[in-house]
Amino acid sequence: MLITNGTLITWETPNRILENHALYIEKDHIREIGPTQDLIAKYPHEERLDAKGQYVMPGNICAHTHFYGAFARGLAIPGPAPADFPEILEKLWWSLDKSLSREAVYYSALVCLVDAVRHGTTTLIDHHASPNAIEGSLDQIARAVEESGVRASLCYEVTDRDGPERAKAGIEENLRFIEYVKRERPLNGRLAAMFGLHASLTLSEATLQTCRERVGEDIGFHIHVAEHPVDEYDSLHKYGERVVDRLNRHGILGPRSIVVHAVHVDVREINLLVETGTWVTHQPRSNMNNAVGMAQTEGMLRAGVKVGLGNDGFSNAMWEEWKAAYLAHKLWHLDPRRMPATDVVRMAIYNNAALATQQFNCGPIGVIAPGAQADLIFVDYQPFTPLTPDNLPWHIVFGFHESMVTTTIVAGKVLMRDRELLTLDAEKIAYEARQLAPRIWERYHALF
């Protein structure tokens, strides 16, 4: 396929903006870039997709999300509003996840994937929980991923909070799915697997040891860390050490593992994250919503931590997460100089791209360059001031909106063209989800 008449935002290092350029896509990857007329002359008989002067750029990447949380939208939490994050976990998430069936797992993924395709998010790293529907739950999400055409990495959240049998079942679900992905390499590299863990405060020494023993060094862990101080105090009380130290002792950290949030880690923990090459993901909208504070994100980046940007189950409009990161740190520190857009780009573009490239092992992701995966979006943005590689980050923060995404392509396949979804029936999916939601909510309220 030949994409013509685009203004390319390559996100190379350094970034380039190329007007009236074309992309030649061969199967799932970009083969060649050049001026539109040159490539038309070179490939006169190829199928063409006219970008009509729109910006053509790599699709957005979400480094941490929860598809399973979709049915929380509009759900009323019984009794008084939760006073802190531990109460939010108890009253909302640990009850909602128990209310999910396999069918609900499938539709919770589908509604999130509709949102992702519409809003230009082409790669997502998910973290799943459904204690009453563990076995085969990752297959249900993978089924939704296959139908949507997006790229996703999946894992199941192992925890001791629901008893030893369910902890064991979670371990087996991770291992089964990891082996399936290794053996079959399904969806032509669009599917990856990690080993999911909930958080230190719900994981015993025995469970952590078992997980480490059962998982090969080539597989990374995906775990929440110090989102709230309770995680640190729980670890200090039970084990006499902070969370990151504990995870390091168990061999959970490493260059393929993801630590989520890390809001309340100290300097030594940051140094351990650097020394082990562990990834960290930042989710500012979730942190604000849960009132847990703001991670030392700028300091982590300065120290050498590989910090990416996720959404923790919020909408898959990742530019909204950019804006939240850009604004929240300024307010948190009472300093408008904090969190420049260049730091947001470092997380959301370059670090997320490096993480995704590592996860899927099918060539570069998140860049327009020969050999890179053809994960692309068209953006109908009409700037009224000059747009350059230097000021693009601020154009995105203050000007770009998810409604401007008109076309979404993953691995060379068009998933949305001119705002029309081609792989998913959004109306039917929303209808089916609405039929399921009352039953899920009924099971949820029955737990109180």
Side-chain angles (χ1 to χ4, degrees), residues 426-441:
E427 186 175 345
K428 181 178 184 297
I429 290 167
Y431 172 82
E432 296 293 346
R434 282 197 302 275
Q435 308 315 302
L436 275 174
R439 300 200 295 274
I440 296 166
W441 289 5

Side-chain angles (χ1 to χ4, degrees), residues 48 150 162 178 198 200 257 273 296-298:
R48 296 182 196 173
V150 302
D162 298 309
I178 288 167
H198 173 243
S200 173
S257 291
L273 294 170
Q296 302 172 65
T297 311
E298 295 162 289

Side-chain angles (χ1 to χ4, degrees), residues 3 26 50 52 60 99 249 279 295 323 348-349 401 434:
I3 296 174
E26 186 174 66
D50 190 349
K52 300 175 183 177
N60 288 318
S99 306
R249 174 168 56 82
W279 297 89
K323 295 169 188 179
I349 297 296
H401 190 268
R434 282 197 302 275

Side-chain angles (χ1 to χ4, degrees), residues 75-319:
L75 175 64
I77 301 174
D84 54 24
F85 183 60
E87 277 199 26
I88 292 172
L89 290 175
E90 292 279 356
K91 287 189 168 185
L92 178 58
W93 300 115
W94 293 353
S95 298
L96 177 65
D97 65 16
K98 289 186 180 72
S99 306
L100 298 175
S101 63
R102 286 185 182 84
E103 185 181 21
V105 169
Y106 170 65
Y107 276 99
S108 65
L110 276 179
V111 296
C112 291
L113 294 170
V114 167
D115 186 58
V117 174
R118 277 180 168 161
H119 297 151
T121 300
T122 53
T123 297
L124 304 105
I125 300 176
D126 185 57
H127 192 276
H128 177 64
S130 53
N132 289 319
I134 297 174
E135 185 178 354
S137 59
L138 296 182
D139 293 340
Q140 295 300 317
I141 302 173
R143 176 183 159 207
V145 170
E146 179 176 12
E147 293 171 11
S148 70
V150 302
R151 194 181 301 277
S153 175
L154 310 180
C155 69
Y156 187 87
E157 173 191 288
V158 174
T159 178
D160 287 307
R161 69 177 182 267
D162 298 309
E165 290 305 312
R166 285 174 175 161
K168 181 180 177 182
I171 291 170
E172 296 305 322
E173 178 66 6
N174 274 309
L175 294 173
R176 180 195 64 78
F177 190 74
I178 288 167
E179 286 307 309
Y180 164 68
V181 171
K182 281 184 178 180
R183 183 179 67 252
E184 302 294 336
R185 194 166 165 75
L187 311 190
N188 296 319
R190 285 195 295 105
L191 201 62
M194 299 190 73
F195 194 102
L197 299 168
H198 173 243
S200 173
L201 80 166
T202 69
L203 290 161
S204 68
E205 289 286 280
T207 297
L208 276 181
Q209 182 176 342
T210 299
C211 291
R212 178 65 278 175
E213 290 172 351
R214 298 286 304 277
V215 181
E217 295 293 335
D218 58 331
I219 295 296
F221 292 92
H222 189 172
I223 181 171
H224 302 95
V225 166
E227 184 173 2
H228 184 276
V230 68
D231 200 22
E232 293 287 12
Y233 288 122
D234 177 87
S235 185
L236 286 165
H237 173 69
K238 292 176 181 174
Y239 313 110
E241 59 190 345
R242 294 179 69 86
V243 171
V244 174
D245 300 74
R246 182 182 181 223
L247 297 180
N248 188 50
R249 174 168 56 82
H250 279 280
I252 301 300
L253 305 181
R256 302 192 72 86
S257 291
I258 298 173
V259 157
V260 183
H261 299 301
V263 174
H264 296 281
V265 296
D266 69 7
V267 174
R268 174 57 184 151
E269 289 177 290
I270 290 173
N271 288 336
L272 280 172
L273 294 170
V274 175
E275 291 168 13
T276 56
T278 304
W279 297 89
V280 171
T281 66
H282 182 42
Q283 291 73 218
R285 284 186 293 179
S286 172
N287 295 160
M288 290 189 291
N289 184 53
N290 291 324
V292 295
M294 282 282 125
Q296 302 172 65
T297 311
E298 295 162 289
M300 289 185 195
L301 289 168
R302 275 175 40 81
V305 178
K306 302 177 296 186
V307 184
L309 195 68
N311 66 23
D312 209 27
F314 268 70
S315 69
N316 290 305
M318 288 302 294
W319 292 326

Side-chain angles (χ1 to χ4, degrees), residues 1-5 47-51 378 407 409 414 417:
M1 179 171 64
L2 196 61
I3 296 174
T4 60
N5 302 313
E47 175 190 356
R48 296 182 196 173
L49 181 57
D50 190 349
F378 296 3
T407 296
I409 300 169
V414 181
R417 179 187 284 121

